[in-house]
Amino acid sequence: MLVKEVKRSGKIGRNLLKDKSPEEIIELIIEKPLQKACKTCVKKNIETVMSSANCKNVLKPNEQRIDRKDVVEKAKTKLFQNFNVAGKGYAWIMINYNTLSDENKKKLFELEEKYGEDCIWFVKSSYNEFKNAIRKFFRLNPLVETFDDTYADKFKQKQLLIVYNNRYPRRSVFIRMPINETTTIDNVETYFDEILSNLKVQ
């Protein structure tokens, strides 16, 4: 089956690790191409919070794939970009960076070097930046966020600021796979199997 034949789930993302029957919940709310990957994450105690692999991720003839450089370039105009940019031409899984072991954080930085900066995104929610723009207008002191984990500085160097609901983690990792009209569910499963095999049980 092709990814372009998969309908959008429309189900709201959840912390799958807190559900009594994770596999059943995954099959209910996660789109077929990424079900296996999400089950792998559950087995490794890695928290997935959102994902997408459906016909909406496959580019239409008049659309262009959105890569990291596009997000960085647009950020120069100070426009806040929605997390949907991650899925323009890509299937993706969003992992809670804050709950990862140091070993897995290190591994993801290594995987970014191996697969490229378009396939592994380190993302910080721009919620506070948005609030600070409003606070500046009213001459209020800015909100200051401090992260002091082992790889905090490295994350900050690589982070993309993207808008998403504040109930999701402040920092996350998007694992992305470029897809097109000929991409199959098997292709997606194989790709994510290869990447997630590098992460350890935590």
Side-chain angles (χ1 to χ4, degrees), residues 3 31 33-34 51-59 63-71 83-93 115-121 174-181 183 188 191-192 195:
V3 174
E31 291 149 356
L34 291 173
S51 66
S52 186
N54 61 65
C55 58
K56 298 290 185 183
N57 299 106
V58 178
L59 297 174
E63 290 183 315
Q64 288 190 334
R65 178 172 283 137
I66 295 181
D67 294 326
R68 179 187 169 86
K69 63 178 172 47
D70 302 312
V71 177
F83 72 90
N84 287 327
V85 298
K88 287 292 185 181
Y90 288 86
W92 56 270
I93 290 179
Y115 288 90
E117 62 181 16
D118 286 322
C119 292
I120 308 288
W121 279 9
F174 283 70
I175 301 176
R176 306 166 77 225
M177 173 190 174
I179 60 173
N180 57 40
E181 289 207 340
T183 305
V188 175
Y191 177 89
F192 281 91
I195 290 182

Side-chain angles (χ1 to χ4, degrees), residues 16-139:
L16 299 176
L17 298 183
K18 290 182 179 176
D19 286 297
K20 293 180 181 177
S21 307
E23 292 208 1
E24 186 176 291
I25 296 297
I26 287 170
E27 290 171 8
L28 181 66
I29 71 171
I30 303 297
E31 291 149 356
K32 178 65 177 168
L34 291 173
Q35 287 180 8
K36 186 177 180 185
C38 287
K39 288 176 182 179
T40 297
C41 286
V42 168
K43 289 174 184 173
K44 295 189 175 191
N45 203 36
I46 293 170
E47 182 185 345
T48 58
V49 286
M50 279 198 281
S51 66
S52 186
N54 61 65
C55 58
K56 298 290 185 183
N57 299 106
V58 178
L59 297 174
K60 296 182 175 68
N62 62 335
E63 290 183 315
Q64 288 190 334
R65 178 172 283 137
I66 295 181
D67 294 326
R68 179 187 169 86
K69 63 178 172 47
D70 302 312
V71 177
V72 171
E73 193 61 33
K74 192 170 183 181
K76 292 176 183 176
T77 64
K78 299 184 179 178
L79 294 174
F80 292 105
Q81 300 172 79
N82 188 282
F83 72 90
N84 287 327
V85 298
K88 287 292 185 181
Y90 288 86
W92 56 270
I93 290 179
M94 176 184 178
I95 289 173
N96 186 347
Y97 176 84
N98 301 317
T99 58
L100 289 170
S101 65
D102 280 353
E103 183 180 20
N104 281 334
K105 287 176 181 176
K106 180 184 179 191
K107 182 55 69 174
L108 282 162
F109 287 114
E110 292 171 358
L111 289 169
E112 184 214 27
E113 291 181 15
K114 179 179 179 180
Y115 288 90
E117 62 181 16
D118 286 322
C119 292
I120 308 288
W121 279 9
F122 297 92
V123 174
K124 179 175 170 285
S125 165
S126 58
Y127 180 77
N128 271 16
E129 284 72 15
F130 175 74
K131 287 184 73 174
N132 280 338
I134 296 171
R135 291 175 70 86
K136 184 177 180 181
F137 178 81
F138 289 105
R139 298 181 181 178

Side-chain angles (χ1 to χ4, degrees), residues 1 3-10 31 53-56:
M1 184 176 179
V3 174
K4 72 175 183 178
E5 298 172 317
V6 177
K7 292 182 180 178
R8 184 171 175 269
S9 166
E31 291 149 356
N54 61 65
C55 58
K56 298 290 185 183

